[in-house]
Amino acid sequence: MTTLIDGKRTAEEIRRELGAAVDELRRQSGVTPGLAVVLVGEDPASIVYTRNKARAAKGCGMRDDLFRLPADTPEAELLALIERLNQDENVDGILVQLPLPGTIDEDRVIAAISPEKDADGFHPLNVGRLHLGLAAPIPCTPLGVTVLLDRYDIALSGKEAVILGRSNIVGKPMAALLTARHATVTICHSRTRDLADHCRRADLLVSAMGRPRVITADMVREGAVVVDVGINRLDDGRLVGDVDFDQVAPRTSAITPVPGGVGPMTIAMLLTNVFELATRRRRGL
Ligand code: NAP
């Protein structure tokens, strides 16, 4: 029997729980966690993402602020805004939507966000803390994957986990999280020889390549758990994952769909990070 891992329902549950926690925090201490979202430019997908993030924060009872800057904003102006937000007592989490226009140095911008307000967990200090096993905001998508697996009681200790993709936002932090949970982790990428061979050894296969439906049934071991992070738009407008879902699902013990799997968890984890940052920064509450 295959379990369909329902990210949409789980994310809704988490957002409800967070809403209650935010109410409680406000009642007890008068604090309302605040998220500042910064968007530079007019990229249509980024406009939708940032709007959804700000709305989701408001939906949980948090303060939300969306700062929209034109594409030709000088880097110094963006850095000045981030510094203002770093100093703003009402802001607990700062998120700068990526990618930034080519004229702006993304690394410099990420490093300018106060590590104590780093809602995405991308600041180099927090990346280091994650790898050292210290408390830190964790990149939302891989955090969402581990929370989903936990909520479905999928054990990780001793499992062969194979991650497809080594980006800083998904693959690498995913590997750190699964290693911390005692899985034996392999990371594959575009130079990996015989990807299918690695996939077939996986008890847990996490795909984050951004390649539509390239994971086929012959690449998946009977009874494996398959998590599909990929989001790919086909020419006909449909969204699909990296996994050929219809073919692969019957072989698995559990699988995430696309859409409705990992995607909805990402925003829920962003809000979780903001809540954690708010309570940590205002320790003593
Ligand atoms: P990325 O930065 O483009 O990284 C893709 C990774 O996949 C790279 O490490 C690349 O290898 C590897 N790769 C690409 N083609 C491959 C192939 N044929 N065989 C083996 N490895 C291959 O992408 P990303 O930002 O991590 O995102 C990955 C996917 O997840 C995208 O579809 C994205 O839309 C989706 N995503 C979803 C969410 C969500 O909320 N669900 C969040 C973030 C991303 P190299 O390093 O060698 O180039």
Side-chain angles (χ1 to χ4, degrees):
M1 247 275 284
T2 301
T3 301
L4 185 71
I5 301 177
D6 187 339
K8 188 163 180 276
R9 191 179 51 84
T10 308
E12 279 164 8
E13 260 168 42
I14 291 170
R15 283 162 66 160
R16 262 198 309 279
E17 291 162 12
L18 263 176
V22 168
D23 281 351
E24 186 59 23
L25 181 69
R26 189 180 303 113
R27 243 196 322 276
Q28 284 192 353
S29 60
V31 166
T32 301
L35 170 66
V37 178
V38 180
L39 170 63
V40 185
E42 300 291 330
D43 175 61
S46 293
I47 292 172
V48 174
Y49 294 149
T50 48
R51 197 183 296 143
N52 289 346
K53 288 169 184 173
R55 253 187 218 152
K58 194 197 278 304
C60 279
M62 296 186 185
R63 211 186 296 273
D64 70 299
D65 271 315
L66 179 54
F67 297 85
R68 286 193 61 173
L69 307 178
D72 60 359
T73 301
E75 185 179 298
E77 202 173 301
L78 175 58
L79 292 173
L81 170 61
I82 290 172
E83 190 44 36
R84 241 183 27 246
L85 297 172
N86 284 341
Q87 301 301 331
D88 188 335
E89 263 310 299
N90 289 320
V91 173
D92 296 287
I94 302 169
L95 177 155
V96 177
Q97 184 66 37
L98 303 178
L100 289 166
T103 49
I104 296 178
D105 182 338
E106 253 174 37
D107 291 340
R108 202 175 295 146
V109 169
I110 290 169
I113 297 171
S114 162
E116 283 78 39
K117 295 190 175 187
D118 175 25
D120 266 330
F122 293 164
H123 190 286
L125 195 97
N126 287 325
V127 175
R129 291 182 66 88
L130 167 63
H131 284 267
L132 292 170
L134 301 172
I138 295 171
C140 302
T141 302
L143 177 62
V145 171
T146 52
V147 170
L148 256 188
L149 295 173
D150 285 346
R151 295 231 169 184
Y152 277 82
D153 288 327
I154 293 169
L156 297 170
S157 181
K159 297 290 171 66
E160 288 288 336
V162 175
I163 301 167
L164 311 180
R166 57 174 166 183
S167 72
N168 291 336
I169 64 165
V170 188
K172 285 180 194 156
M174 189 78 254
L177 288 174
L178 294 176
T179 304
R181 301 291 296 278
H182 312 296
T184 303
V185 177
T186 303
I187 306 182
C188 300
H189 45 77
S190 66
R191 309 281 181 95
T192 297
R193 276 185 280 132
D194 205 345
L195 192 77
D197 192 46
H198 286 285
C199 292
R200 278 192 286 270
R201 283 194 290 103
D203 299 312
L204 168 65
L205 183 65
V206 179
S207 187
M209 295 187 291
R211 297 280 179 267
R213 292 175 172 160
V214 293
I215 305 302
T216 47
D218 58 306
M219 297 167 78
V220 176
R221 175 162 147 179
E222 188 80 45
V225 173
V226 173
V227 174
D228 193 352
V229 179
I231 301 177
N232 309 286
R233 196 170 285 284
L234 300 178
D235 290 341
D236 63 10
R238 274 182 303 155
L239 283 186
V240 297
D242 292 351
V243 176
D244 186 338
F245 183 88
D246 292 343
Q247 222 196 82
V248 169
R251 287 185 66 76
T252 66
S253 57
I255 187 167
T256 62
V258 176
V262 176
M265 291 296 288
T266 299
I267 292 188
M269 294 302 104
L270 169 70
L271 303 176
T272 303
N273 277 349
V274 174
F275 185 79
E276 292 276 317
L277 289 169
T279 48
R280 211 176 293 157
R281 193 169 63 86
R282 302 165 194 248
R283 271 261 147 72
L285 292 179

